[in-house]
Amino acid sequence: MGLIHAWRMQRLVSDARTAFDRGDLTFIAGFDIDTRRRVSMKQIRKEIDLIINAVEPIGWECVSVEPFLASVKIDFLRQA
């Protein structure tokens, strides 16, 4: 994925920090799955882990990971 993926991850972390600093109680992240390619579950799980590992150190706790059509939604709650 290269530079585009790095930019998107940087943007995700920035958005998570902004929401945390603003005092939000929840944060939602996610990504779309390219249905034109054969994407394995291993690749999807790896992307989920990357997002969780990037967002949790900010002060969020992952509470759910849900598939929705050709996308994945990850919900975070502010840690106490």
Side-chain angles (χ1 to χ4, degrees):
M1 292 188 181
L3 294 176
I4 294 173
H5 186 262
W7 179 80
R8 287 185 181 144
M9 286 300 291
Q10 191 175 34
R11 176 67 187 210
L12 172 75
V13 171
S14 174
D15 290 347
R17 275 197 184 105
T18 300
F20 190 82
D21 293 342
R22 192 172 44 221
D24 293 356
L25 299 176
T26 62
F27 179 72
I28 299 172
F31 61 94
D32 295 327
I33 300 167
D34 186 357
T35 57
R36 296 170 291 174
R37 282 186 34 213
R38 293 181 67 106
V39 181
S40 69
M41 281 304 296
K42 183 177 180 179
Q43 290 172 310
I44 294 169
R45 280 190 226 107
K46 182 178 176 184
E47 189 68 21
I48 291 168
D49 289 342
L50 278 172
I51 291 172
I52 292 171
N53 291 332
V55 173
E56 280 190 337
I58 296 168
W60 297 104
E61 180 180 356
C62 179
V63 292
S64 72
V65 177
E66 302 173 19
F68 179 74
L69 297 176
S71 64
V72 175
K73 179 181 147 196
I74 306 170
D75 297 317
F76 294 91
L77 283 178
R78 188 180 193 90
Q79 291 180 352

